[in-house]
Amino acid sequence: MLKVHQLMHSDGTNLRVKTVSQTIAHIPWTAVRRIDFSSDTIVHLSDLRLDLDTSLTAMIEERIRDLNYDICVIMSDYRASTSRDFSVCRTELQKLFPSFKTSVFGVFGNHDFIAMVPQLEATEVRMLLNESIVIQSDSQRIH
């Protein structure tokens, strides 16, 4: 059972943390017995669209500050616009980084472009571009 903290919002200002425990069913039983990630937790941030309202950054910081987690993943749509300058989003991400307690990995969405990768990685987001990472818990690993 893997625990995931998801930061969710309904109207862009009412942010809440939803904690979900997830069993990974497709892993063969022999692998499950050898790999125990039951105490690991992921913070999952999605569709931040930081250029819509910069006050969201402070709200996100407040919500994640006291969470205990092992890894953070930011997935898709860092910005709302597909054509405007990305600098607002980059600035807001830089403000968030002191709040993160672990490595942060990123995955693109349909509003995001390959030209954004150097700027995102400059804010310490490790972008995963058609690749995976190894997550290790003690001596156990999962890809």
Side-chain angles (χ1 to χ4, degrees), residues 9-56:
H9 65 88
S10 56
D11 63 5
T13 57
N14 184 18
L15 295 176
R16 65 184 174 89
V17 174
K18 179 180 178 185
T19 302
V20 178
S21 294
Q22 180 67 46
T23 300
I24 305 172
H26 66 279
I27 296 178
W29 175 246
T30 55
V32 173
R33 284 186 292 180
R34 290 194 317 262
I35 300 173
D36 178 16
F37 287 93
S38 59
S39 63
D40 294 308
T41 303
I42 298 171
V43 167
H44 173 235
L45 304 174
S46 181
D47 300 291
L48 296 178
R49 298 184 175 115
L50 294 170
D51 56 344
L52 283 179
D53 181 355
T54 57
S55 68
L56 285 174

